[in-house]
Amino acid sequence: MCGRFAVTLPPDAMAQLFGAAPANDLAPAPNYNVCPTVQINACALGETGRQLRPMRWGFIPHWYKKPNDGPLLINARAETIAEKPAFRAAARERRCLIAMDGFYEWDRAGDEKLPWFIHRSDRAPLVVAGIWQDWSSREEGEGEDRMATCAIVTTEAKGQMARIHNRIPVFLSPDDWGLWLGEDGKGAARLMQPAEDDVYAMYRVGKEVNSNRASGPSLIEPL
């Protein structure tokens, strides 16, 4: 599972990274404690090519009448994404790229949650696979609620990550971005594999990040 991450790349730099046209209302950076349901920036294909758009982290199926009508869907499992009614259309037609510095994961020592920070070994932005869709409450008039929503795609962990958690986000290299977005034809399913150990590094961080109200660069400092 990926339930919290950090991003320091400014929106204009993120748009440049992806070669995407930026929207006007992008989420600000830095944010060292990105939590579910907040606005994040994601790169998706639009009518004129790649676009960097703000999206709610928490995918809302089209049949939800309001955002909290069912479970909070922040992750989509690679093994079942093509079958789940909530995700299968987005997995075929609406895939996106989500950039971050790294994400947090926890293991346990007894009842205590101990956080780790996971990042690319080369310190480049970590780009993970996502899916998205526009959601509307479908209520007529001024009360209608509309938003773009997304989820991070995860797969079975192996190697060093498997020692602390059984899931890991799907990492995408720049050579894979076009295939995941659908620019380079079909075959995106083959990208949904766990990263090799040499691609990423991980270290302990302080327990302050256990609170979703914590903020600031000290959250990603090694212990």
Side-chain angles (χ1 to χ4, degrees), residues 19 53 83 93 95 122 191 197:
R53 302 179 55 189
E83 305 164 5
E93 304 165 6
R95 299 187 294 268
D122 59 8
L191 301 176
D197 279 358

Side-chain angles (χ1 to χ4, degrees), residues 38-116:
V38 305
Q39 292 285 306
I40 66 173
N41 300 323
C43 175
L45 283 186
E47 293 182 358
T48 58
R50 294 184 184 183
Q51 298 178 342
L52 190 67
R53 302 179 55 189
M55 297 186 184
R56 175 194 189 260
W57 184 24
F59 191 96
I60 306 179
H62 66 82
W63 59 83
Y64 282 25
K65 294 183 179 179
K66 53 183 186 282
N68 60 352
D69 256 2
L72 178 60
L73 305 176
I74 61 171
N75 295 153
R77 294 174 68 94
E79 298 87 347
T80 57
I81 195 172
E83 305 164 5
K84 292 289 186 180
F87 300 138
R88 60 192 177 198
R92 289 194 308 268
E93 304 165 6
R94 295 183 299 277
R95 299 187 294 268
C96 62
L97 307 170
I98 299 169
M100 59 184 71
D101 290 60
F103 64 96
Y104 303 96
E105 194 53 83
W106 285 262
D107 64 2
R108 287 185 178 272
D111 294 332
E112 190 174 26
K113 293 175 64 177
L114 302 176
W116 297 76

Side-chain angles (χ1 to χ4, degrees), residues 8-9 100-102 117-126 198-203 205 220-222:
T8 62
L9 196 64
M100 59 184 71
D101 290 60
F117 188 67
I118 298 93
H119 62 91
R120 280 188 60 95
S121 298
D122 59 8
R123 289 292 185 175
L126 173 57
D198 61 349
V199 174
Y200 65 98
M202 48 198 292
Y203 57 83
V205 292
I220 63 172
E221 291 179 358

